[in-house]
Amino acid sequence: MYKPSIGLSLEGLPFIFFTAIATLTFALLDCWFMATVLLVALFFVLNFFCDPERVVPQEPGVAVSPADGKVIKVETMRDPMTGEDRTAICVFMNVFNVHVNRMPVAGRIARISYFGGKFLNASFDKASTDNERNSLLIEDGDGRSWTVVQIAGLIARRIICWGEEGDSLVRGQRFGLIKFGSRVDLYLPAEYEPIVRIGDKVFAGQSILARKK
């Protein structure tokens, strides 16, 4: 899998292009109210699809955040890929966050499962079982399994996963994107424990969420 970066997610280019054209059109027509509204919209679209580089921690035995946002839950939940009860860390992304998702650990994507569903507010507990979501089962170099779940939100209507089954990715590497507000859940193996708390702000590929016991 190869995903180039130019500072913006390529999936956002159509949104940016059409918003920019609409803004310019209304400006040329001297309709400054609509031009101003669209200019503000263009700013938010650019912010949403920005894809900055991150400094990925290199220390062994840690897992980084798969998403930008705020930690809204740290508790035991049923892993949708293994069926086990595991500690899960849930990160909520609002429309102002970067929405590119990154690998929490280096490993191979062993399985990907997509589930169609509803579009409830991603901060709700039921979102993890009722919303549209995409789950990745990751096997690290020591044979441990990790599960990352991309969950669509109230506004989000498309989950993108660039990774494919069998891909081997490094820690912090981009693997997907969720458009316009959403959530990502990370299920930890038993050997790891969370080091974040509810309310903490985290950054994909950079903030450490869990450490080996």
Side-chain angles (χ1 to χ4, degrees), residues 27 58 85 98 103 120 149 189:
Q58 298 301 309
D85 288 334
V98 173
M103 289 284 285
L120 304 173
V149 185

Side-chain angles (χ1 to χ4, degrees), residues 71-92:
V71 176
I72 61 170
K73 186 185 296 186
V74 181
E75 63 181 53
T76 300
M77 297 169 55
R78 180 62 57 88
D79 187 324
M81 298 296 272
T82 67
E84 302 172 326
D85 288 334
R86 290 187 169 190
T87 299
I89 302 173
C90 307
V91 179
F92 176 74

Side-chain angles (χ1 to χ4, degrees), residues 48-167:
F48 177 84
F49 286 106
C50 69
D51 183 14
E53 295 298 332
R54 293 287 164 77
V55 178
V56 182
Q58 298 301 309
E59 64 180 287
V62 299
V64 298
S65 180
D68 280 33
K70 182 173 71 173
V71 176
I72 61 170
K73 186 185 296 186
V74 181
E75 63 181 53
T76 300
M77 297 169 55
R78 180 62 57 88
D79 187 324
M81 298 296 272
T82 67
E84 302 172 326
D85 288 334
R86 290 187 169 190
T87 299
I89 302 173
C90 307
V91 179
F92 176 74
M93 298 179 283
N94 62 39
V95 294
F96 301 104
N97 292 129
V98 173
H99 277 60
V100 174
N101 303 141
R102 294 173 178 259
M103 289 284 285
V105 294
R108 183 180 67 89
I109 301 177
R111 182 157 48 98
I112 299 176
S113 296
Y114 171 81
F115 305 89
K118 302 176 182 179
F119 297 97
L120 304 173
N121 189 314
S123 64
F124 292 172
D125 288 343
K126 295 179 66 176
S128 61
T129 56
D130 291 4
N131 277 23
E132 177 189 11
R133 56 203 184 278
N134 187 61
S135 301
L136 291 78
L137 182 65
I138 301 165
E139 294 181 352
D140 67 19
D142 296 317
R144 287 182 291 262
S145 65
W146 304 71
T147 296
V148 177
V149 185
Q150 299 171 285
I151 302 174
L154 184 64
I155 302 174
R157 289 296 184 272
R158 187 181 179 196
I159 296 174
I160 298 170
C161 182
W162 300 312
E164 299 179 352
E165 291 184 357
D167 283 347

